[in-house]
Every structure is written in structure tokens, then in C-alpha cells.
Amino acid sequence: MGVWIDTDMGFDDIAAVLVVMQSGLKIDGVSLVFGNAPLKQACQNAAGAVAAFGWDFPIHSGRELPVLGQLETAERILGETGIPTLGRTLPDVGPLTIPRGMAFTALCDWLENGEGEKRILALGPLTNIAALCLARPDLAERITDLTWMGGGVTAGNHTASAEFNAFADPEALSIVISSRLPFHMVDLDLCRKVTASPEDVDPVRNAGGRNAEMIADFLGGFIRIATSRGRSSMALYDPVAAVAFCYPELVTWQKARIDVELQGTFTRGRTVLEARPGRAVFNARYGAEVNAERARDIILKTLVVEGAR
């Protein structure tokens, strides 16, 4: 069964793609969006990942600005490449090789052709998916599952109220939710149950393959975001969403009403969740619990396996 991934292509996005590949699911295509860094850098990261890992699925450049408002990225946390590292970087592939502006057409073609389920894993702002919902609602209706890493049931991270992927384009999130797609939210709270610590870097580094040092430096740089702030471990955000997507039985899914704040001076981008029966018409499911030990094992073993290649 083929699936589609929509991503802003930072390190945890790359890890999520690798988890999907290791699960045995076939990736039919990838669309890129701004987020961790501007779209041009996301494309550069994707091209470097193709060179490093030998990915053979098509990758398409998508939206570079949110539906409304100014561009928001996570560069102040992740650096200008969107991939924090202890040293090594993705291969420099020179001029961009990712076709610009082709994501919408490619996604439409994928939804229009072929039978079977049409499942999408979204790992960044939902701008590409919102464009599809607005321009081709007939094709959006064919999506059988949209699993999104984003939102926060209790609080945010980019602001006190808002998780980054929601804050970067809350109008896109509102459009997608309003389109009544089968929507699964893997939020900050769930992701923070699955973490990596500095001790997890050496097994990847010692795997011995051509990418082992690079992956270890990426994992170490990602973990350093947390340790530099006094925490002992770092949440494995996007690969947790990939585990939920590939192994939904490891997650306790609960029905809820999910909305996003668009106007609040201090709360723009906040996801508001109502899960109490009878209080609202439910429009989504969210991950309430996860088998954290199993999810962590899947993610870290994937990085070791890739490091051994």
C-alpha cells in the first residue's frame, strides 16, 4: 500500500521518513512545505537526503508561504538549515534538483489515480493540504487518513499557547479541519512521552555504515536542543507521528472536537480540544496515549539500521 508524506524536511522529518520505509509501507510521493526553514532550504535538505540515503520516490516542492500572515520558521531553534548537528551535514548536491511548485499537481494526480486507501502523513504546516482542500475538494474527499504531527492539547512550544506547525499556518489547519477529512492529531503531549537522550547517540555512531556519523551528529544536535535548556532528553516529534501512522495499534486514539484559534493576540495557533461526550460534534481523533517504550525502540532501531548501511 502506498502512502504520501508532506514535510518541512528537518532531521526529525528525515527520521520519520526512515521509520515509514522500515515499516514496509511504500512511499508514493513526498511534498515539501516551509516550516523548519524556508521552502528553498527544505528542498535543499530533501535533495541532500536523497543523495545520502538513495531515496527513489518522487519529491515535489510545495507552498512557500502560509495562507495568511508572514512566513514563520523554526530557524531560531534549529538553525538556518533546519537541521541542528554536532558537526556533519547532508551532502552538498549543488543547484536544487527538486522541481519547484509541482507538489499540488503531483498530489492531485496521486489522489486521482489508483485504487485503495490514500493515506497521508503530514509533518509540518498544513499549507499544501489546505490548498488541495480549497482547490480540489473532490480529490480531498478521497483521503482515507490524514495523520498530522502538530497541535498541543495542554500547551504550546513555539509560543506559550501554540505548537509550531499550528502557529506557522493556523488558517491552513482550520481549512483542513473544516474539510471533514479523517483527521488524526499527534500532538506535543503525546510526542513528549517518547524521548531520546545523549546515551542514544553512540549506538547510532557505532553502527559503522557510511551514514552512521552523520545520523549520529543529527541525533546529537537534536537532543542538544533539550540538554542546552537543562532537560535530560528530547522528544522525538515527527518520528513519533510516523510510528502512530505506521503502527496505529500502539496509540490509544480518542474522538474529539479540534479547533484552532485564529484571532487571539496571545493565543493565535492554539489548538482547542473538546473530548467530553455531548459537549461538541467530534471532527477528529487525537493520540491520548502511546506505547512509549515500543515507539522509542522502533525509532532508535531505525536510526541504527540506517547508520549501518
Side-chain angles (χ1 to χ4, degrees), residues 8-13 34-38 41 45 72-86 89 123-125 157-158 163-165 217-219 221-226 228-229 231 234-235 237-238:
D8 50 355
M9 204 56 80
F11 163 67
D12 59 332
D13 303 76
F34 72 92
N36 289 320
Q41 183 63 54
N45 292 348
E72 188 76 23
T73 73
E75 291 171 281
R76 67 181 177 87
I77 302 297
L78 302 177
E80 64 180 16
T81 67
I83 301 181
T85 179
L86 299 182
T89 61
L123 303 170
N157 62 350
H158 198 66
E163 179 274 334
F164 172 75
N165 288 337
D217 278 357
F218 289 170
L219 178 61
F222 195 66
I223 293 168
R224 190 171 59 183
I225 295 172
S228 67
R229 290 162 172 76
R231 303 195 302 273
M234 179 68 174
Y237 295 105
D238 288 346

Side-chain angles (χ1 to χ4, degrees), residues 170-288:
E171 280 76 21
L173 174 56
S174 180
I175 289 166
V176 171
I177 292 173
S178 299
S179 298
R180 300 180 180 178
L181 305 181
F183 190 79
H184 291 76
M185 185 174 82
V186 180
D187 84 309
L188 292 177
D189 295 327
L190 192 75
C191 292
R192 286 170 174 163
K193 298 176 186 292
V194 185
T195 64
S197 54
E199 300 79 44
D200 296 314
V201 176
D202 279 348
V204 179
R205 193 179 303 281
N206 296 336
R210 67 187 184 94
N211 287 325
E213 295 280 358
M214 181 187 70
I215 298 172
D217 278 357
F218 289 170
L219 178 61
F222 195 66
I223 293 168
R224 190 171 59 183
I225 295 172
T227 58
S228 67
R229 290 162 172 76
R231 303 195 302 273
S232 62
S233 61
M234 179 68 174
L236 294 166
Y237 295 105
D238 288 346
V240 175
V243 168
F245 182 73
C246 299
Y247 309 97
E249 70 277 6
L250 297 181
V251 176
T252 301
W253 299 101
Q254 291 190 6
K255 293 181 179 180
R257 172 79 192 187
I258 297 175
D259 291 289
V260 57
E261 176 59 54
L262 303 178
Q263 302 297 328
T265 301
F266 303 107
T267 57
R268 176 172 166 80
R270 181 178 181 87
T271 47
V272 180
L273 185 144
E274 175 59 86
R276 294 173 295 177
R279 298 299 183 97
V281 177
F282 294 158
N283 61 358
R285 296 176 187 266
Y286 75 101

